[in-house]
Amino acid sequence: MLFRRRKKASWPERVREFFWPRKGLTRPARYLAKRILRLSASPHAVAAGVAAGAFSAFTPLLGFHVILALALAYLTAGNLLAAALATTIANPLTIPLIAIATFRVGEGVLGIRSGEAVSASDLFHMLEHLELSELWHPVLKPMLVGAGLLGAVAAALSYCVTRFAVRSFKARRHARLMERAGLAPASALSSGDKTL
């Protein structure tokens, strides 16, 4: 095997590695960010794709996040790969937090009082018997309203941050490539022409 360990990991080491990886917990997020920054599309396309993915991650349509993100990215002329990658905002660690936040915001917007809210046991019973018609008003409607609001905020923020990050990343990369090629950056050339 090509990437096998020389010394096999012991049972405690495997447990520790599962809960705290050697490379750190933020490594997947850093890799994903670099992967998005290195896409060869315009800053608008990458940012629109990330915004579409962020918006779809807030919807309660589990299993359809990527499809929704691709459709939104296509409609906004966004990068499809960036949209698909950005849907990883909704992962097993964040989905419960997103679901609770969208539900509470939806309850607040719709004015649902806590007496009308569904308890966890009632929700489990409805899901167990797939009574979706009974789930619409007390659960799905508030979640969709909350997802629309929180998703729009997340999409707007991610668009602005991603567009700025991609633009600055590409500018630094271009300057580095020009420096390696032995050419001065365009700003240095234009200032040098003024002195002549």
Side-chain angles (χ1 to χ4, degrees), residues 76-96:
T76 59
N79 187 284
L80 299 179
L81 184 57
L85 290 172
T87 60
T88 58
I89 292 170
N91 57 58
L93 296 175
T94 60
I95 284 177

Side-chain angles (χ1 to χ4, degrees), residues 19 80 195:
F19 289 108
L80 299 179
T195 58

Side-chain angles (χ1 to χ4, degrees), residues 138-152:
V139 177
L140 293 177
K141 188 176 177 184
M143 285 185 83
L144 284 172
V145 170
L149 288 174
L150 291 178

Side-chain angles (χ1 to χ4, degrees), residues 57-76:
F58 277 82
T59 62
L61 307 172
L62 298 177
F64 296 100
H65 287 163
V66 174
I67 295 169
L68 179 62
L70 293 176
L72 289 173
Y74 181 77
L75 292 174
T76 59

Side-chain angles (χ1 to χ4, degrees), residues 100-164:
I100 290 169
T102 57
F103 183 69
R104 294 298 177 210
V105 168
E107 275 185 333
V109 169
L110 295 174
I112 297 174
R113 293 183 302 275
S114 60
E116 298 172 5
V118 178
S119 69
S121 61
D122 292 339
L123 180 62
F124 179 72
H125 176 72
M126 289 177 194
L127 288 173
E128 185 179 30
H129 298 292
L130 290 176
E131 298 168 2
L132 295 178
S133 60
E134 293 179 17
L135 280 173
W136 171 251
H137 181 68
V139 177
L140 293 177
K141 188 176 177 184
M143 285 185 83
L144 284 172
V145 170
L149 288 174
L150 291 178
V153 170
L157 286 174
S158 62
Y159 179 84
C160 294
V161 169
T162 304
R163 186 170 178 144
F164 175 76

